[in-house]
Amino acid sequence: MSSNASSAAVAAAVASCRLEKQQRRRLAAFDFDHTIVSQNTDTVVRDLLPTEVTSARAHELVENDCWTEYMAEVFRLLHEQQVPEARIRDTIRGIPEVPGFVRLIKHLAKRMNFDLIIISDSNSVFIDEWLRAHNLSDCFLAIFTNPAEFDETGRLQVRAHHQQTDCKLSASNLCKGRVLEHFVIEQDLRRSIRYDHVFYVGDGNNDICPVLRQRACDFACARQGFAMEKHLLRNRSKLKLRAHLLIWKSGFDLMDQMLALPQLQTAPANQAELETAEGQAEMARRASAAAGQVKSPT
């Protein structure tokens, strides 16, 4: 094989390797309660308890802002009151969507080729049950929430997603900003997926942390009239929000706003589209160096 042929082969190999490894995509990360579903899943299930049933332990946990531990106590009381697993699951399935969100999720996942994840302070049983009931389970790449399961006696057990004390904007059991940040980094390092744009969709104060970690090319999507929107608008300059702020009323409204964005008018650039003439010339020079035929650039 000639030297020129060898150089071309090396260049082709380098280009092929880069094409296979790097993917450019878009990500939408969703809160769950009051974002995808119209109510708080925890309080809906808590309301299955008779009004007179409570405990000193529950009051203490609420006062100390230990919500996950509080819900564990609620689930203990539900079991004590012989509220069956089937009734809890039926109750979750019956929670209505925030209007338009089933359509929005299916459109992003199946028509616009987004990666979708959920980051929620609910729990895995509630989220999985609702998604299955609405045929959405296959739309999500990952769900980050408090792990839960019904034990052999029928009692729902829940654990914290993690324990953290660093982030003052988040609860001790879940820093959504850390989760989102780690997911994006892991996708890049392990799967060579880089997100051109990240959309974070939420409603509450615990959704502030993730949007403050977003880039200028990302989108913070806050539900109108809820705590996330009010906090961001009241403190926008102080918080130094870099992401574009979208205020939405429903899934239909959010989808219309997203479809109108110039950034979403074309498919995410693949590696071939990202290779400029200068980049291709650089690859050729590296290939020539590997073959022992380096030429100085003009």
Side-chain angles (χ1 to χ4, degrees):
M1 181 182 291
S2 68
S3 296
N4 288 340
S6 176
S7 298
V10 172
V14 171
S16 175
C17 179
R18 294 181 69 179
L19 281 169
E20 288 176 5
K21 286 187 175 181
Q22 190 172 41
Q23 300 178 60
R24 304 300 291 262
R25 296 178 62 81
R26 298 166 181 141
L27 174 69
F30 294 87
D31 173 44
F32 191 68
D33 294 338
H34 292 295
T35 296
I36 294 176
V37 298
S38 63
Q39 296 169 271
N40 183 307
T41 48
D42 282 342
T43 58
V44 167
V45 169
R46 181 193 62 189
D47 290 346
L48 294 176
L49 282 172
T51 54
E52 70 276 7
V53 174
T54 187
S55 71
R57 173 69 174 154
H59 286 300
E60 177 187 341
L61 292 168
V62 168
E63 289 175 2
N64 291 325
D65 206 21
C66 301
W67 187 259
T68 305
E69 293 90 341
Y70 167 71
M71 286 309 301
E73 176 65 8
V74 168
F75 298 148
R76 185 191 69 78
L77 293 170
L78 285 165
H79 184 255
E80 189 177 84
Q81 292 295 307
Q82 300 183 341
V83 177
E85 174 183 340
R87 189 179 177 199
I88 293 174
R89 291 186 181 275
D90 286 346
T91 299
I92 292 297
R93 286 196 297 271
I95 298 174
E97 65 168 321
V98 171
F101 261 79
V102 169
R103 180 180 174 187
L104 170 66
I105 288 165
K106 289 183 176 179
H107 190 84
L108 292 179
K110 302 183 179 190
R111 298 284 298 277
M112 297 186 70
N113 206 30
F114 266 68
D115 285 345
L116 307 183
I117 64 173
I118 289 173
I119 311 175
S120 168
D121 205 13
S122 181
N123 68 70
S124 58
V125 167
F126 291 175
I127 294 173
D128 291 345
E129 190 69 36
W130 197 90
L131 293 180
R132 283 200 306 271
H134 292 79
N135 299 312
L136 295 175
S137 299
D138 64 343
C139 292
F140 290 94
L141 190 61
I143 297 171
F144 302 94
T145 188
N146 301 302
E149 61 183 358
F150 285 95
D151 65 20
E152 65 278 0
T153 71
R155 175 177 166 182
L156 185 55
Q157 303 279 359
V158 64
R159 307 185 308 277
H161 176 77
H162 58 217
Q163 291 292 340
Q164 67 87 27
T165 56
D166 297 334
C167 179
K168 304 306 180 186
L169 294 171
S170 304
S172 61
N173 64 290
L174 178 62
C175 173
K176 294 184 177 184
R178 180 196 295 181
V179 169
L180 179 61
E181 202 168 58
H182 285 190
F183 176 81
V184 170
I185 292 171
E186 187 172 280
Q187 286 290 92
D188 188 3
L189 295 180
R190 293 193 177 184
R191 300 182 63 191
S192 292
I193 293 174
R194 296 187 181 182
Y195 293 113
D196 290 340
H197 308 288
V198 176
F199 292 75
Y200 184 88
V201 186
D203 72 285
N205 281 322
N206 64 352
D207 297 309
I208 299 296
C209 177
V211 300
L212 294 183
R213 303 191 189 207
Q214 289 184 294
R215 305 162 299 177
C217 59
D218 295 333
F219 295 83
C221 308
R223 188 175 182 183
Q224 187 177 61
F226 284 70
M228 178 185 178
E229 179 216 17
K230 294 175 181 177
H231 189 87
L232 288 175
L233 292 180
R234 186 168 59 246
N235 303 287
R236 190 168 186 175
S237 58
K238 179 181 176 181
L239 292 174
K240 298 180 181 178
L241 178 70
R242 291 177 294 173
H244 303 280
L245 181 60
L246 299 182
I247 307 298
W248 56 271
K249 300 176 184 177
S250 68
F252 301 116
D253 174 41
L254 181 56
M255 184 160 66
D256 288 344
Q257 292 190 57
M258 291 177 71
L259 291 176
L261 292 171
Q263 295 92 328
L264 300 190
Q265 297 307 307
T266 59
N270 60 33
Q271 185 62 28
E273 293 169 334
L274 291 170
E275 294 295 348
T276 62
E278 181 180 356
Q280 291 173 352
E282 176 63 22
M283 282 203 302
R285 286 196 291 272
R286 292 181 183 179
S288 295
Q293 294 188 349
V294 178
K295 294 184 178 180
S296 299
T298 57

